[in-house]
Every structure is written in structure tokens, then in C-alpha cells.
Amino acid sequence: MTKKYGMVIDLHRCVGCGACDLACKSENNTPVGINWASHTTETYGVFPKVSYKHTPTLCNHCEDAPCVRVCPTHAMHKTDEGFVVHDPSICIGCKSCMLADPYGVIFFNKEHAFLDFATDTSSAVKDGTFSKKELSDKAKAPFPNFNAARGADGYEAVRRKGAVEKCSFCNHRVAKGLSPACVVACPADARIFGDLNDEKSKIATTLRAHKPTVLLPEKGTNPKVFYIREYN
Amino acid sequence: MMQLLWDIRVSLDLFLGGLGVGAFLVGVILYYVDAKVYDGFVKKSFVIAPLLVIAGLLLLLTELGRPLNVIKTIYAINPTSFMSIGIFLQSAFVAVALLIAFKVLTSGVESLSSKIVYAGAILAGLVGLYHGFLLSGIAKEPWNNAIPVIFFVSSILSGASLMVLLNLGSLESLVTRFKLPLIINMVLTIELAAVFAWVYNLALTTASSKHAYDVLISNFSMEFWVLSILMGLIAPLAIFTLVILNKLSLKAVAIPTFAIIVLGSFFLKNLVVYLGQAV
């Protein structure tokens, strides 16, 4: 049977440290303002009965993805393994996917990401610290607008402006048998990633043992990111 | 704060495209009614229509992040995407409309084949409907299934009004033969009914649609009530009613009345584009 990947986030284990957010940034070199992995926080109730909710967010890799439905060129597409991924080479930058996405997890690259590393010659301490441009020049690479790990395997490594981008479930890592960067970085093992079609997999057994929820179930998108248990 | 992904250039594309489609369809009607009598009117309609649609498309291209990649939509087709289908429809309409415009300018209206005019009319109708489906296909609350009707009727109204403004010399003939104020009032009433259906759907159905209605009423009340409804629809309806009742002369009020219909169409479409992104 074809693999169908998904992710479970155990909210009871999650400590809200943000390691997943940072690991994603590091792995995928996303610029400021573009967060493939992120989180929402909510404080509710009336003192002294106040509760707090921390919900990690990422692309839900929906079975019925609205972003895939509206994309005019199939740049946003679904793979056989259930990844909703984006091909920037045919993206026209119309942003329809962002408008259709009910979760707000698709981002538009309005400017060349990290352009300041090619142009900014100012330094914090004159003759004492590198400017961004010096750093980039000495690294002899379009650093850090270059994802060496991702680019090494035929994926687009340099992030150019005018296209959208989003979480890919680190499909470049999964292809090598590794887990997504956010899963590996989680200090509380709150994230379980795996094949939903394999009944013996940890994700499938976990989902059977709990009552999973998804974000915005009323949208009917059939997300593949599930949440179990609660923080409180 | 509203995250504006589609700015006024998208609204202008939908407005100018609608004007072009409306102008073309009015030209088609008069072409089939009597091409000889309305030669000047038909000629102007067929020449201006592709120019307006092209102007809108050029504005839209500047809004895209990677406009040069549009060429790839020819082979990378997504049948579930209205935009993908619309690119083909608009290209086909522009091609046919330009051919018609070329024939009209070089050989006159009488040289046109009625078959190509008919093909152009079908494409114009489909493009007019596509403008609304582009939004309703994205399925945000304010972009519901009333939008294609609202946009299409608005396009017909604004296109027809623009062409009347450009052919004021034919006004008497149009009034005598077609009872123009009566027809315009019928279309204005259909548009008002469609807008009512849209607002009713927003205000009384789901929680999220009610939220969209609240945003419409609280944040866009000026654009909606004053510019789109009062100025664009109710004021011309009232003025044409007075004309029908012989209380006013159409000649005296034609320019401002047809002008506010055109402006109202822009404000209504612009409002819908922005509201969808504000909720």
C-alpha cells in the first residue's frame, strides 16, 4: 500500500518551547516573517480560573487541500505519499492558494529573502565585526539564502521572490528515511510523524489510542496533522 | 489588520474586464437587431471591448509575483482551478474580439460574419461569468455563489452604460426603439435582488458568514451602502423611474446617471474583493 504521511502533536507533552519553530527555520532557511512552523497562543477564562493554550501550527497537508484545488498551474500539488508541496518553477505568484488556505500557513516571498546579506555593508562595531555582506562574501555562497541540505538533492535551494512557500513536511529528509526537522528537534517527543497507512506504525497506534482533533474540521479539508490530549 | 493579498489592480481587472464584456454584448445585441442603423455604436463597442479587457489583464499581470510564468499556464492546466480555465477563456475572447475589431476597423461592420460575432458573444458571456467564479471558487465567506451573478449583471450594466455615454447621439433612437430606461431599470432591479441575496446569505446563515456580514456593515458601510447601493443602483433606478413617469428628461440626466452606474460597478466589485480578504 502507498505510504500516506501524517503528524500527531501531543499537546500534553508539548512544553511550548518553540524548538520546532526554530528547527524549521534552520532546516529550511525561512526569512523573517515567513514561518513554515509556528504556533498560536491563547489565554482564556476569568481569574483565578485562567487557562492557557499553546498550539503548534504548520501546513496540514490536507487530503482535500483548497490550495491545491485553486492553484492555476498545479504548482501547489499533492504527491502520492500525501505531501502537499509547491513547485516554484511554475508558480505565477497569484496568491490564490493563500486566499483559499483556511489555516494561514502559506507565505508569499515579496522580496528576495536575505537580500541584505548581499547589500548591507554596515557593521555593529566598525572594523570589529563583519557586515552581512562580508559574511556572505567570505562564505562564498549565497548565504544564508541557500539551503545546502535541501538543495543537495534536487530541491530548490535558493529562495527567489515572487512565489509562495510553505511547510513541505521536510519531504527532502523523509526521502532519506529521516523525520522532519521539527519532529527531531522536539525535546518532549510531542511530535510523531509516520505512515498513516501502516497500522503498526507509532502514528497509527497513537491515533487509535486517543481521540484526535484537527484544526477547523468544519472546513472539510481532512487535515493530516492531528492533535491529541490537552496542555491543561 | 487586513492582510491584503489582492489589491486594487485585481478589482480594476474585474471592473475593466466586466466593462469590456458588457460593451461587447451590447454591441452584439445591436448588431443582430440592425447592424446598419447602429453601425457607429456597434463599431465602437467591438473596438473598445478587447482594449478594456486587455487593459485589465495587463494590470493583473503587474499584480502577479511571477508574471512571466503565465505562459506556463498553457500546459500546466488545473481543471479544478477557475483561474486556470479563465486564462483560456479570456485569451480566446481577446483573440476573437481583436479579430472582430480588426475586421470592423478595416472593412466595416457589414463585413463581419455573424458566426464569429456569435462565438464572441458566447466567449464574452463566459468571461463575464468567470470574473465572479474566480472569487467564488476560492470559497471565502463573502465570495459565495451569488458573486458570479452580481458580477455578471454589474458588467452588463456598466458596459451598456459606458457605451451609451460614448454614443449619446443614438440616445433618442435607443429610447424610442428599446424603451431604454425601462430595460436599464429591469437590469438594475435584478442586480439589487442579487445583492440582496448575497447580503441575506451572509447575514443569516453560518457563524463565519455572520462575521463577514458584521465586517461588511461596520468596516465597509460607506463603500457598500453609499457608493455601491445608493449611488450605483438605487439613485439610477429612481432617476430612470422619474424618466419613465415623464417627470424628467432622459437627455438632461443621461450623462450623470450612466456615469454613476459605471462608477457604482467599480465600487461594488472593489468592495467584494476587499471584503473577502478582510474576514
Side-chain angles (χ1 to χ4, degrees), chain B residues 9 29 45 62 89 92 125 145 159 172 196 207 210 214-215 237 255:
Chain B
R9 288 169 291 181
I29 291 168
S45 290
T62 67
L89 285 176
N145 287 332
E172 289 292 336
F196 175 76
K210 285 174 185 170
D214 288 341
V215 175
L237 189 74
I255 293 175

Side-chain angles (χ1 to χ4, degrees), chain A residues 34-52:
Chain A
I34 292 183
N35 304 306
W36 292 6
S38 188
H39 60 270
T40 59
T41 57
E42 187 186 356
T43 307
Y44 56 96
V46 179
F47 182 81
K49 291 182 179 176
V50 179
S51 294
Y52 173 75

